Amino acid sequence: MKNWMLLSLTLLVQVWGTGCTGGQTAQATDADSDTDSDTDTDSDADSDTDTDADSDSDTDADSDTDTDSDADLQPLRIEAECAWGADVGDCNGAVEGGTNAALPGRDGADSIPLLKEGDHVVGYFYAASWLAFPGIDLSGYTHVAAWVASTATGGSFQIRLDSPGGEVIGTISVPNTGSWTTFHRAEAVLSEVTGVHTVYVVSADNGTYNGDMDWIEFFVGEAPVDTEEPDTADTEEPDTEDTDEPDTDTAVTACVNGTTCVNTNSEKQVIRGFGGMNHPLWIGDLTAAQRETAFGNGPNQLGFTIVRIFIDGNSSNWNREVATAKRAQELGALVFASPWNPPDDMTETVTSGETTRKRLRYDMYDDYANHLNDFTDYMTDNGVNLYAISVQNEPDYAHEWTDWTPTEILNFMKNNADDLNGRVMAPESFQYRKEMSDPILNDPTALANMDILGTHTYGTPDAWFPYPLFKEKGAGKELWMTEVYVPNSDANSADRWPEGLEIAYHMHKGMVDAEFQAYVWWYIRRSYGPMKEDGTISKRGCSMAHFSKYVRPGAVRVDVPKNPTTDVYVSAYMSDTAITLVIVNRSTSTKSVTFSVDGPAVTSYDQITTSGTKSLADDGTVSAAAGSFTVSLDAQSVTTLYGTH
């Protein structure tokens, strides 16, 4: 599905570790030519620009002029896309002049429009690529910083004056941030500069990819606290980039002396499950053995409890969906279905300006509802009871399938969704874009006809995970994340570590920040997926299994400080029989965390760990006398603590 995705980068990334031990070994056949060369490099890019360098000048009656010193210079932040060569030209007044100029060097840099109109990051920074910012007065500035992301190591950006080969006044080293959705502030000292210059940001000639950039900032002395606050005119939610501080909004404020308290009386969302997509028409069906690996919950099995299936516009292909869906359901999984296209005779091609798109004909809405009902009936007749049916897969990124505007989705939900059999899911935006779902939430009739708000999270910024309008108006509705892969879809990348740790971190954000009730990966079996092409579980699959095997359907997420110490992220769940903690340690060092758990008595917890050297490893038990215990976390690991009561 994602050959169309936002961009495709070829990265040389070190392969770490091996997949989970054991598992089924039945060979899967790839039935298509899908190369899945796309890479998810979406990033959390702020559009904020702070250009208010202090030029105040106070003149008294004696004509004395009191001019602010360099120490009063305010940070000068410039959005990276506001440069020559960034493919979008001037955008926010931070620079003067400039045209869209082709970039020299290998491949060159390009803006990546990931968030909203006017809000970009810049990528494709290979050796000698550059951005140019004309008319910049650097007098008095002593340091430079950039908001960068990379999964490569050893990259850097040189700050040069007046030409790509000009004087180097500073070099910003780019760390491996772990994923293309994780941005860090990188800083460097500047040589003394006076006067106005064209400032060039040049990708160092080190033979590797040097990362993506959101903004560059010049400042004096120590770095200011980076709150990433939005401009006052910005209608988007603020960027709540995690500052690694403990979560102070929880109900467990009584925790003292470094103890992290789990409050089982403070309940959040009910969990429906975790799973992935089966797409036999595009890549071939799972084998019988692979179905057991995916949906069974024994040793060397993923424990998935959701499977997403495909609604083909051609009903003669529907039989391909039955076998895996039926077996998954027999093993306890929920089955839901998403369409990419209606039957061909229900669509038309329309052109608006330079945009051409395929859409469902307005006079065919009733027929389309009948088409979806026919699929539901077909599956029922073949032993599969769908939990829900979606109106459209990614209506807002329909480059290769049927496009829907927010108004078109709203009209269908108001006037036709009530005719669908069973639960209705909408709108499955590719990036959790609220312009697709807000109209449904704000319309009482459409909202009444929607049972599940489904979304994808490709490059969704952290600030977009919370959804206040859904919390306000979505009572009685479910909230599902129905497709993603992170951090990329590189061929044969499924066992890379710590890259695979980013799946667990992304799931943590989905459960805690977004409060999703379901988390569904893209292809279950793929060279970058939870199950490799040979049918064995990958490192990425191990990360998912820390949730799917131990947080079972019907469990309730309960309150715990989500970030009790630097680089450690925690979520907690309670069922009728167990309490589960899933802990992600993104630090390169081991960590020790002390927990106190109230509620049902649990005397000990099984400790399961995946790291660079472990794959769902049994690390013994942790004694929990009087509900308190201390656990040691391996560096760059995900740990599940599972205790029965």
Side-chain angles (χ1 to χ4, degrees), residues 240-277:
T240 54
E241 175 66 25
D242 203 334
T243 58
D244 286 339
E245 291 296 324
D247 185 42
T248 56
D249 293 329
T250 67
V252 288
T253 54
C255 289
V256 293
N257 298 326
T259 300
T260 301
C261 291
V262 179
N263 184 356
T264 59
N265 293 314
S266 180
E267 296 186 351
K268 306 300 181 182
Q269 76 269 30
V270 176
I271 304 302
R272 293 296 177 218
F274 306 87
M277 177 87 187

Side-chain angles (χ1 to χ4, degrees), residues 533-568:
E533 298 289 3
D534 65 359
T536 59
I537 298 173
S538 69
K539 281 287 195 180
R540 292 184 177 188
C542 292
S543 278
M544 291 192 68
H546 276 271
F547 291 86
S548 58
K549 288 179 71 69
Y550 303 100
V551 182
R552 305 300 287 174
V556 179
R557 187 175 70 85
V558 295
D559 215 349
V560 63
K562 66 180 181 181
N563 181 208
T565 189
T566 303
D567 290 329
V568 173

Side-chain angles (χ1 to χ4, degrees), residues 455-476:
T455 188
H456 303 173
T457 51
Y458 286 103
T460 303
D462 289 355
W464 293 10
F465 274 65
Y467 198 175
L469 185 64
F470 181 84
K471 292 182 74 71
E472 176 189 349
K473 298 190 174 184

Side-chain angles (χ1 to χ4, degrees), residues 428-502:
E428 285 204 277
S429 163
F430 86 102
Q431 202 175 48
Y432 209 9
R433 290 177 177 266
K434 308 307 188 291
E435 62 265 30
M436 298 301 298
S437 47
D438 278 358
I440 300 172
L441 293 173
N442 285 321
D443 186 285
T445 302
L447 180 60
N449 292 336
M450 182 186 73
D451 300 286
I452 303 173
L453 196 159
T455 188
H456 303 173
T457 51
Y458 286 103
T460 303
D462 289 355
W464 293 10
F465 274 65
Y467 198 175
L469 185 64
F470 181 84
K471 292 182 74 71
E472 176 189 349
K473 298 190 174 184
K477 311 298 179 182
E478 297 187 17
L479 183 61
W480 287 31
M481 199 294 295
T482 57
E483 185 189 313
V484 78
Y485 57 74
V486 288
N488 55 51
S489 61
D490 292 356
N492 301 311
S493 60
D495 283 332
R496 292 176 184 167
W497 199 267
E499 194 172 279
L501 184 62
E502 291 308 298

Side-chain angles (χ1 to χ4, degrees), residues 501-523:
L501 184 62
E502 291 308 298
I503 286 88
Y505 178 59
H506 192 264
M507 295 177 75
H508 165 87
K509 292 192 297 181
M511 295 296 106
V512 175
D513 295 337
E515 298 187 74
F516 292 136
Q517 295 173 260
Y519 187 101
V520 182
W521 186 266
W522 179 221
Y523 292 131

Side-chain angles (χ1 to χ4, degrees), residues 269-288:
Q269 76 269 30
V270 176
I271 304 302
R272 293 296 177 218
F274 306 87
M277 177 87 187
N278 186 52
H279 209 316
L281 190 66
W282 287 5
I283 64 166
D285 200 359
L286 297 179
T287 67

